[in-house]
Amino acid sequence: MTIRCLAVDDEPLALDIIESYISKLPYLKLVKTCSSATEAMQVLREEQIDLMFLDIEMPELTGIQFLNILKNQPLIIFTTAYPDYALEGFNQDAVDYLLKPIPFDRFLKAVTKAQERLQRVPAKTTEAAPISAPAAQEHDFMFVKADYKTIRVDFKDILWIEGLKDYIIIQTKDQKIITLLSMSKMMEKLPESKFLRVHRSFIVSLQKIDSIEKSRIRIGNKEIPIGEVYKDTFLKWVEENNIQ
């Protein structure tokens, strides 16, 4: 079994050590090293990762915060210079917790634990297809990870969604929810009949639109621009719902 690994740490020396240790074990394959959680998120979207070596104390997002908003987590081995994080690390169901500077024998022990866990996962077969979870469109709500918890968001409460680099802001009538997700992934969760992307940085609830003026949509006191790329699709929707 080849274990595909990702190493995430804001310290270049720490990444060099993990890369060196991985190279000594033929059943480990280092897919990439990352210096931040946001960079690692992109890798996880594009690559199959079985095991992630994750530093806890990092700028922008700590390792713990990163896991709290991450879907479909690989196995995790925490790496840190701070022993105080040990309990919190194990509460995240981590395979192991390595304290820097990491000796090779301790690294090997942690990797062996991960290998044993992966070997216990039943092999996929073609005898019976797994029952997939219902699509988001079949429900009137979704769950998102934010602020160390998983939050239920009812579609009827969403006013608009704004994209900010690797994050999105879900604006409801009562709160603002910030989560690590792309706009395209967000659109996959939303019912197509109720939401439309009108700009590279905005998705609107069609039911919450108060007025349209030139190239702007007004929802309450918020003015949302209509991007040229999305203009034709939006105007088609307006025409289909125009009673005149």
Side-chain angles (χ1 to χ4, degrees):
M1 168 185 273
T2 298
I3 301 175
R4 295 170 58 83
C5 303
L6 174 65
V8 187
D9 200 307
D10 63 321
E11 299 177 10
L13 179 58
L15 288 176
D16 288 344
I17 291 171
I18 292 174
E19 184 173 1
S20 171
Y21 286 173
I22 288 175
S23 68
K24 298 178 186 295
L25 301 174
Y27 53 87
L28 297 185
K29 175 180 174 59
L30 181 62
V31 176
K32 193 166 184 181
T33 60
C34 299
S35 59
S36 69
T38 52
E39 185 184 352
M41 174 65 79
Q42 188 61 38
V43 176
L44 289 169
R45 287 174 183 157
E46 298 172 353
E47 300 281 354
Q48 175 195 332
I49 301 297
D50 303 311
L51 176 62
M52 179 162 59
F53 296 91
L54 181 61
D55 185 24
I56 293 181
E57 192 68 24
M58 294 187 294
E60 295 183 356
L61 280 176
T62 68
I64 301 294
Q65 290 172 330
F66 179 38
L67 289 187
N68 284 333
I69 57 177
L70 186 62
K71 294 176 61 179
N72 302 321
Q73 298 176 9
L75 294 183
I76 304 297
I77 294 177
F78 280 118
T79 61
T80 183
Y82 303 94
D84 294 343
Y85 286 117
L87 179 59
E88 190 171 4
F90 283 116
N91 285 339
Q92 296 288 332
D93 194 30
V95 173
D96 210 338
Y97 179 98
L98 299 178
L99 191 61
K100 300 175 184 177
I102 303 168
F104 180 72
D105 64 328
R106 188 67 184 83
F107 176 88
L108 180 59
K109 182 178 180 180
V111 168
T112 301
K113 288 183 184 179
Q115 189 179 34
E116 290 171 352
R117 273 208 202 182
L118 289 169
Q119 288 172 342
R120 288 198 298 265
V121 176
K124 294 181 180 179
T125 68
T126 57
E127 293 178 5
I131 299 173
S132 59
Q137 286 84 348
E138 296 178 10
H139 299 287
D140 56 4
F141 64 90
M142 64 180 174
F143 286 100
V144 297
K145 291 185 177 182
D147 297 329
Y148 302 98
K149 56 189 174 183
T150 301
I151 302 172
R152 170 177 167 146
V153 182
D154 291 333
F155 293 140
K156 64 180 177 60
D157 293 336
I158 298 175
L159 302 178
W160 68 83
I161 297 164
E162 183 176 357
L164 297 171
K165 294 185 178 180
D166 297 306
Y167 301 86
I168 61 168
I169 297 173
I170 303 172
Q171 182 67 57
T172 74
K173 59 183 182 181
D174 298 319
Q175 62 182 325
K176 179 185 293 185
I177 302 166
I178 302 175
T179 186
L180 185 62
L181 198 67
S182 68
M183 292 288 279
S184 58
K185 288 292 184 183
M186 187 73 253
M187 281 300 299
E188 292 176 8
K189 292 176 173 288
L190 298 168
E192 295 179 3
S193 61
K194 297 180 180 179
F195 293 87
L196 192 64
R197 190 169 183 178
V198 298
H199 188 273
R200 62 186 177 87
S201 299
F202 286 97
I203 299 168
V204 298
S205 170
L206 297 172
Q207 297 174 320
K208 296 297 192 298
I209 295 175
D210 292 319
S211 62
I212 305 161
E213 183 178 349
K214 296 182 180 179
S215 294
R216 293 192 174 273
I217 295 166
R218 180 174 288 277
I219 299 178
N221 296 324
K222 178 73 171 181
E223 283 193 349
I224 297 171
I226 303 171
E228 285 298 322
V229 174
Y230 306 92
K231 191 172 185 178
D232 289 345
T233 301
F234 178 70
L235 292 178
K236 181 180 178 181
W237 175 84
V238 173
E239 183 65 28
E240 290 174 350
N241 291 273
N242 194 337
I243 63 173
Q244 293 181 347

